[in-house]
């Protein structure tokens, strides 16, 4: 099991949620444009367009979304990208880049609200996810896609206004877990590095991609680090229902090195501002204080098959089982949180204190100059 987290963190977590319930943004005309990058925690349909096994555009995914529509979100409803966008006043996440590519005329002004580039199964490294999931849009390619969007913004607004527009936008990034999963699997033996070397290569690559976004005009970076991935049902179902400590330790190390990386970037690049959310601590707080958040099941996935519903994804056509009490589950499927838990996470990164998100939260980042 993950290390014990003090009940004090649960009290802090709950106070954040109460404060947000009193003061949540709705229909905010000053909402910042959102450019969203990462993996399946943020993917809202990118992989629908790919030859990928990491897809969620089928039931029971989306059962609590509008009209119970499976949109490609790895969730029963809204995912974390949606929930953050809603807190900033949008109805949901901006659409996937690949959707806007197919509808360029209708999306000309929509891109001024933002674009989602996130792709399930992808990672920081170019190779991540490809062996396990097939085609994914890795982080470097997501950044290249943003470069094409940036060119379109220049065409709409003109160079100087475009610079200001992009500098005031939020760049939200949730990536890294698939890089760690790939290292842990390494079934093909294609990774010839030790854990410390692999983490160093991953962070060096992360640095390059974040710097490239800065060069394209990004100034405000909202980063979510890796959760305790050793506790997801896909992993625990093969470990007697117990968390895998080595994977969790890897996630902690990833957060620590990401923190140093962001400090380095902020010292080197003028105007570089960031907010780093500790997804590991947030999830551990839920794991160790589940009842305080109305959660009664933190080991088994709501939807899936096999032991702990952790042997396959939430695929109705594969005879997946589906829980009725989704509000009580931490995990939606073998890797991803339920809509409820995504909302808890979003509320914490949006308005939480430095225990969970530092040096400022996402709301403060948006209003910073």
């Amino acid at each position: 099991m993950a290390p014990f987290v003090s009940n004090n963190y649960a009290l802090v977590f709950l106070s954040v949620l109460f404060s947000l319930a009193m003061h949540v943004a709705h229909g905010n005309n000053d909402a910042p444009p959102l450019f969203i990058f990462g993996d399946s925690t943020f993917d809202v349909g990118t992989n629908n367009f790919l030859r990928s096994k990491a897809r969620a555009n089928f039931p029971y995914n989306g059962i609590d979304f509008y009209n119970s529509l499976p949109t490609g979100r790895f969730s029963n409803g809204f995912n974390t990208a949606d929930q953050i966008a809603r807190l900033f006043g949008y109805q949901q996440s901006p659409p996937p880049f690949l959707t806007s590519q197919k509808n360029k005329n209708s999306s000309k002004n929509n891109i001024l609200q933002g674009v989602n580039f996130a792709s399930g199964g992808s990672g920081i490294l170019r190779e991540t996810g490809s062996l396990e999931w097939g085609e994914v849009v890795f982080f470097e390619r997501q950044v290249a896609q943003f470069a094409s969007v940036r060119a379109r913004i220049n065409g709409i607004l003109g160079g100087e206004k475009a610079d200001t527009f992009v500098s005031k936008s939020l760049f939200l990034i949730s990536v890294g877990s698939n890089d760690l999963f790939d290292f842990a699997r390494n079934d093909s033996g294609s990774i010839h590095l030790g854990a410390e070397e692999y983490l160093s290569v991953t962070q060096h690559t992360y640095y390059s991609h974040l710097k490239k976004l800065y060069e394209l005009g990004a100034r405000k970076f909202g980063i979510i680090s890796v959760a305790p991935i050793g506790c997801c049902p896909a992993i625990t179902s093969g470990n007697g229902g117990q968390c895998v400590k080595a994977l969790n330790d890897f996630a902690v190390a990833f957060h620590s090195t990401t923190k140093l990386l962001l400090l380095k970037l902020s010292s080197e690049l003028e105007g570089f501002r960031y907010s780093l959310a500790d997804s590991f601590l947030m999830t551990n707080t839920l794991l160790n204080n589940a009842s305080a958040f109305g959660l009664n099941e933190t080991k088994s996935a709501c939807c899936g098959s096999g032991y702990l519903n952790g042997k396959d994804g939430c695929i109705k056509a594969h005879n997946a089982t589906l829980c009725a009490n989704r509000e009580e589950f931490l995990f939606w499927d073998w890797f991803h949180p339920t809509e409820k838990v995504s909302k808890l996470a979003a509320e914490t990164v949006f308005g939480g204190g430095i225990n969970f998100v530092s040096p400022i939260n996402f709301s403060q980042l948006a209003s910073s100059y």
Side-chain angles (χ1 to χ4, degrees):
M1 187 62 185
F4 178 74
V5 177
S6 167
N7 284 336
N8 288 338
Y9 284 124
L11 292 174
V12 172
F13 210 154
L14 286 167
S15 68
V16 169
L17 305 183
F18 178 78
S19 297
L20 281 169
M22 299 295 100
H23 185 67
V24 173
H26 286 293
N28 181 5
N29 292 327
D30 297 323
L34 303 177
F35 295 101
I36 298 175
F37 304 79
D39 53 31
S40 55
T41 54
F42 275 1
D43 187 348
V44 294
T46 294
N47 284 17
N48 298 353
F49 298 91
L50 308 180
R51 295 183 300 276
S52 177
K53 291 183 286 183
R55 294 173 67 159
N57 56 337
F58 45 76
Y60 292 105
N61 294 293
I63 192 169
D64 298 313
F65 199 74
Y66 302 125
N67 300 316
S68 296
L69 185 67
T71 58
R73 291 164 169 82
F74 295 80
S75 174
N76 56 306
F78 291 122
N79 69 11
T80 306
D82 293 308
Q83 301 286 14
I84 295 171
R86 287 168 67 81
L87 288 167
F88 279 111
Y90 296 104
Q91 291 187 341
Q92 60 193 60
S93 164
F97 168 78
L98 295 179
T99 298
S100 68
Q101 283 294 96
K102 289 182 177 294
N103 303 286
K104 284 188 177 181
N105 292 332
S106 64
S107 67
K108 179 178 179 181
N109 293 320
N110 289 345
I111 66 169
L112 297 182
Q113 293 184 337
V115 179
N116 188 315
F117 305 90
S119 170
S122 69
I124 295 166
L125 301 178
R126 176 186 287 258
E127 304 82 8
T128 294
S130 58
L131 283 177
E132 185 74 12
W133 305 113
E135 187 180 12
V136 300
V137 183
F138 47 86
F139 191 30
E140 182 182 5
R141 181 167 290 167
Q142 293 178 33
V143 174
Q145 289 174 342
F146 171 72
S148 70
V149 169
R150 171 67 209 250
R152 288 166 62 190
I153 293 171
N154 284 356
I156 295 168
L157 299 179
E160 189 173 335
K161 286 185 178 179
D163 289 345
T164 301
F165 172 85
V166 174
S167 72
K168 291 182 177 179
S169 301
L170 277 189
F171 287 74
L172 306 180
I173 303 165
S174 176
V175 72
S177 61
N178 290 310
D179 298 285
L180 305 192
F181 277 131
D182 266 21
F183 180 83
R185 291 188 192 104
N186 199 22
D187 295 330
S188 66
S190 58
I191 299 173
H192 304 289
L193 299 172
E196 191 172 330
E197 292 173 296
Y198 182 79
L199 190 59
S200 177
V201 169
T202 302
Q203 289 291 349
H204 178 76
T205 307
Y206 203 3
Y207 172 92
S208 298
H209 299 335
L210 293 177
K211 190 172 181 181
K212 178 62 177 178
L213 284 172
Y214 176 90
E215 290 167 356
L216 290 166
R219 293 297 181 268
K220 300 181 180 184
F221 295 81
I223 311 287
I224 298 180
S225 66
V226 176
I229 55 176
C231 294
C232 65
I235 300 300
T236 59
S237 62
N239 192 47
Q242 300 303 307
C243 299
V244 173
K245 184 177 184 298
L247 262 177
N248 284 348
D249 289 345
F250 214 1
V252 171
F254 182 88
H255 177 81
S256 298
T257 53
T258 301
K259 187 174 183 178
L260 293 173
L261 169 67
L262 292 170
L263 283 170
K264 176 178 170 65
L265 283 164
S266 64
S267 69
E268 292 176 349
L269 304 175
E270 183 179 356
F272 182 101
R273 293 182 291 282
Y274 70 91
S275 174
L276 175 62
D278 190 342
S279 183
F280 192 96
L281 179 58
M282 287 189 287
T283 307
N284 256 3
T285 302
L286 295 178
L287 284 167
N288 292 306
N289 304 276
S291 61
F293 300 94
L295 301 174
N296 292 323
E297 179 54 72
T298 60
K299 287 196 171 187
S300 177
C302 170
C303 184
S305 60
Y307 180 49
L308 300 178
N309 276 344
K311 294 299 185 181
D312 196 5
C314 181
I315 307 172
K316 183 180 180 181
H318 291 184
N319 297 315
T321 60
L322 174 68
C323 72
N325 50 338
R326 294 182 283 279
E327 289 282 307
E328 298 179 8
F329 276 69
L330 173 61
F331 293 102
W332 162 242
D333 64 12
W334 54 345
F335 288 110
H336 306 100
T338 56
E339 179 182 57
K340 175 178 178 174
V341 171
S342 292
K343 184 178 181 183
L344 292 173
E347 289 171 342
T348 305
V349 303
F350 182 86
I354 59 172
N355 287 328
F356 296 107
V357 54
S358 63
I360 54 178
N361 59 43
F362 284 19
S363 176
Q364 294 165 332
L365 179 67
S367 60
S368 64
Y369 293 97

